[in-house]
Amino acid sequence: MAEVIRMPLLSDTMTEGVIAEWHKKVGDTVKADDVIAEVETDKATMEVMGYVEGTLLYIGVEKGKAAKVNGIIAIVGKPGEDYKSLLEDNKSAAPAAPAQSAAAPAPQAAPAAAPAVDDAALKEALKNATVIRMPLLSDTMTEGKIVAWHKKTGDVVKNDDVLAEVETDKATMEVMGYADGTLLYVGVKEGEAAKINGIIAIVGKQGTNIDAILAAENAAPAAKAAPAAESAAPASTVTTAAATGSNNNTDGRIKASPLAKKLAEEKGIDIHQVTGSGDGGRIIKKDVDSFVPAVAATAAPAAQNGVAPAAPVFVPAGQEGYTDTPLSKMRQVIAKRLSESKFTAPHFYLKIDVNMDKAMDARKAINEISPVKISFNDMVIKASALALRLHPEVNSSWMGDFIRHNQHVHIGSAVAIEDGLIVPVIRFADQKTLSQIAGEAKGLYEKAKNKKLQPQEFSGNTFSISNLGMLGIDEFTAIINPPDSAILAVGGIKETAIVEKGQVKIANIMKLTLSCDHRSVDGAVGARFLATLKGYLENPVTMLV
């Protein structure tokens, strides 16, 4: 009997996946462990296996197109087997796609003004060229930013060549054209964004009439053009609103060298007021160095009747201003998830001081023999993992209508990157040695900073740790990372005067704050967990038993 292969759920936030490549075609024999396709999700490009044996009878999604999670992407069965009955269940959902184009008939008058499309020329062009569109790399993505082009117009392109790098909410992804030929057209410049499914490049035979392809794209229903115009409007508004006092930005962009821009920023000079002396009116370093604000001419009041003014007149350098930074997809997800956590989960906080004198001595001794340098954060991860094993109530997840008590200990360790915060996960941390934790953590942090983490490396945590001690923060409270029931905030180690047995002494104190979800963790439970954690850190040898 024929078996249906559906779009798998490859990410906790995934709603659909884009078929990046088919490794099998209709009629091919498929084994259970064969990779049949590659799917682009919001986090990474993943391989999809059918886990069935037979002949590939049907492919439901073309390369470059998206399929909803659980949607049919292929059918495998016996040669000649009738599989059409299996598609009946999906027919009710199929009309939804055309409905979208029919639902947005807004500017129907616009196509009348566009030049007529030469269908014959278009068909001929499409025979000799492949249109490469912006892929869907995230379930919340509406556009992608071209970070870099690896090919330029006129270059020869092979099927597996990386054409460009596209920035998403989680990572910078490589985009392949999956076509052989010459790069005939680049539709988006580096640093600019393209809407999902918008043409970013065309690859094909030299001499192909790409104008026919572009004309057909421009003559498409205005449903595509309208959002593009809306997204472009804010950018042009910001640029023109700031453009005062300079005529070197006739195309809406300031022509200035990077050094000139940096100097202007450091000196508080509005770059729009500077007149450029370089090629085409480009602003260069000497223009910024010699710039004098227009109001400066009136800034030096002359002494009248031999009487000097009481005080010099203040002349501001530059003018009032601000910059609006659009939210990245990553920042939007962080805002959404943490807002839900903070305003849904009833947080309460437990604080404790830990004497790290013995831990400092132990770390020094361990690092003399460890193949990997052990940090204090590695020690906190190990101690937390062992404490969670003794207090499983804290190693739990709030699931809405039930509490999940996890039997494994996966520690998420928050890392700040340029676009926000991501939480790589150390799996089975309670079973690993300090050197194993240190080596794995170092590799994950490096991947996080380079946006190379895979979904399994930043999901599945049962407890989280946020450490700001290395940034000089003594103590703070952290927002719980859902669905975890708790998160540990770690401050810096600071020399502090303490009283011990009636005598004042100096100790190295580290402050810990445990944020707990009161729906799943009670105060006494959290307090006992912190006491155990304190015991491990104040006497590290107990972690080795």
Side-chain angles (χ1 to χ4, degrees):
M1 180 178 175
E3 296 282 347
V4 169
I5 299 173
R6 299 181 181 273
M7 175 62 70
L9 182 66
L10 300 172
S11 159
D12 56 344
T13 57
M14 175 181 170
T15 58
E16 62 183 11
V18 176
I19 301 294
E21 181 67 24
W22 281 104
H23 291 276
K24 298 288 183 180
K25 63 182 184 293
V26 173
D28 283 358
T29 299
V30 176
K31 295 182 180 179
D33 57 351
D34 280 350
V35 175
I36 63 169
E38 292 180 18
V39 172
E40 292 173 352
T41 72
D42 55 340
K43 307 291 196 303
T45 299
M46 312 286 286
E47 294 179 337
V48 173
M49 296 182 183
Y51 300 108
V52 292
E53 295 189 356
T55 299
L56 186 57
L57 305 175
Y58 169 81
I59 288 179
V61 185
E62 297 177 14
K63 185 176 76 173
K65 298 293 181 67
K68 295 289 184 183
V69 168
N70 209 38
I72 295 177
I73 61 173
I75 296 177
V76 173
K78 296 178 181 178
E81 186 175 356
D82 183 10
Y83 60 83
K84 293 182 180 179
S85 60
L86 298 174
L87 300 175
E88 293 299 321
D89 293 338
N90 269 23
K91 283 189 177 179
S92 58
Q100 289 182 353
S101 58
Q108 287 187 343
V117 177
D118 187 337
D119 291 337
L122 176 61
K123 289 180 180 178
E124 184 64 26
L126 291 177
K127 286 181 182 178
N128 299 319
T130 300
V131 175
I132 299 165
R133 300 179 180 274
M134 176 60 70
L136 182 68
L137 301 174
S138 163
D139 59 322
T140 56
M141 176 180 173
T142 57
E143 62 181 19
K145 179 181 177 183
I146 300 292
V147 177
W149 280 103
H150 291 270
K151 298 289 183 180
K152 63 181 183 294
T153 303
D155 283 357
V156 175
V157 176
K158 294 183 180 179
N159 185 281
D160 56 353
D161 280 351
V162 175
L163 293 183
E165 293 181 16
V166 173
E167 186 179 78
T168 71
D169 55 340
K170 295 288 185 184
T172 299
M173 311 286 286
E174 294 179 338
V175 173
M176 296 183 183
Y178 300 108
D180 293 325
T182 300
L183 184 57
L184 305 174
Y185 171 78
V186 170
V188 185
K189 297 178 181 178
E190 287 186 2
E192 295 183 357
K195 292 289 181 182
I196 293 299
N197 211 36
I199 294 179
I200 60 173
I202 298 176
V203 173
K205 294 181 180 179
Q206 287 185 337
T208 300
N209 181 14
I210 63 171
D211 291 338
I213 298 173
L214 298 177
E217 185 77 6
N218 294 333
K224 288 184 180 179
E230 289 175 10
S231 64
S236 60
T237 302
V238 172
T239 310
T240 56
T244 57
S246 176
N247 60 0
N248 81 324
N249 59 337
T250 56
D251 60 353
R253 301 177 68 181
I254 293 298
K255 298 174 182 177
S257 70
L259 179 57
K261 289 180 179 179
K262 183 178 180 182
L263 283 174
E265 183 180 355
E266 291 174 351
K267 293 184 176 184
I269 295 174
D270 181 6
I271 195 72
H272 299 84
Q273 293 186 348
V274 180
T275 301
S277 63
D279 294 338
R282 189 167 184 259
I283 300 169
I284 56 179
K285 177 179 180 293
K286 74 173 185 177
D287 299 324
V288 177
D289 289 335
S290 60
F291 175 72
V292 178
V295 294
T298 61
Q304 295 183 2
N305 300 324
V307 179
V313 177
F314 168 72
V315 181
Q319 61 185 16
E320 292 182 358
Y322 58 86
T323 301
D324 292 333
T325 304
L327 291 177
S328 66
K329 296 302 179 187
M330 184 177 189
R331 180 58 63 184
Q332 291 176 25
V333 172
I334 291 172
K336 181 176 181 291
R337 286 175 59 84
L338 294 187
S339 294
E340 289 174 352
S341 174
K342 182 64 176 177
F343 300 119
T344 302
H347 286 53
F348 71 91
Y349 309 97
L350 301 172
K351 300 182 179 182
I352 198 168
D353 290 350
V354 178
N355 187 328
M356 295 292 287
D357 286 347
K358 290 184 179 179
M360 293 175 74
D361 293 338
R363 175 176 175 263
K364 183 178 180 181
I366 291 171
N367 277 334
E368 290 179 356
I369 59 173
S370 174
V372 183
K373 185 178 180 181
I374 309 297
S375 69
F376 288 112
N377 195 61
D378 299 328
M379 299 179 77
V380 172
I381 291 173
K382 177 65 175 179
S384 298
L386 294 176
L388 287 169
R389 197 160 64 184
L390 297 177
H391 302 277
E393 300 94 336
V394 182
N395 191 45
S396 62
S397 303
W398 177 261
M399 305 303 292
D401 53 357
F402 62 91
I403 298 173
R404 174 171 294 160
H405 291 93
N406 299 294
Q407 297 175 0
H408 54 277
V409 179
H410 293 350
I411 304 289
S413 182
V415 177
I417 60 177
E418 184 178 350
D419 294 334
L421 195 71
I422 195 165
V423 186
V425 178
I426 315 278
R427 297 177 181 274
F428 302 103
D430 57 320
Q431 302 175 28
K432 293 177 178 176
T433 64
L434 278 170
S435 59
Q436 288 172 332
I437 289 174
E440 186 174 336
K442 182 179 179 182
L444 289 172
Y445 299 157
E446 195 65 31
K447 279 188 176 182
K449 290 175 182 177
N450 294 326
K451 296 184 178 182
K452 298 297 183 183
L453 283 177
Q454 294 297 302
Q456 68 272 16
E457 295 173 324
F458 56 80
S459 59
N461 44 284
T462 61
F463 183 83
S464 297
I465 295 173
S466 181
N467 191 338
L468 293 178
M470 69 287 291
L471 299 178
I473 301 299
D474 291 338
E475 64 176 305
F476 67 103
T477 57
I479 299 175
I480 296 168
N481 184 23
D484 293 355
S485 291
I487 185 172
L488 184 70
V490 182
I493 300 173
K494 187 177 181 180
E495 288 188 341
T496 307
I498 64 170
V499 178
E500 190 175 278
K501 296 180 180 180
Q503 293 185 344
V504 177
K505 59 176 289 188
I506 300 299
N508 291 286
I509 300 298
M510 180 172 68
K511 295 180 182 294
L512 302 178
T513 303
L514 184 69
S515 304
C516 302
D517 184 344
H518 218 322
R519 297 173 299 181
S520 49
V521 177
D522 294 330
V525 172
R528 287 194 289 268
F529 167 80
L530 276 183
T532 302
L533 176 59
K534 175 183 171 77
Y536 280 130
L537 290 172
E538 290 190 339
N539 192 10
V541 70
T542 57
M543 288 192 282
L544 306 177
V545 177

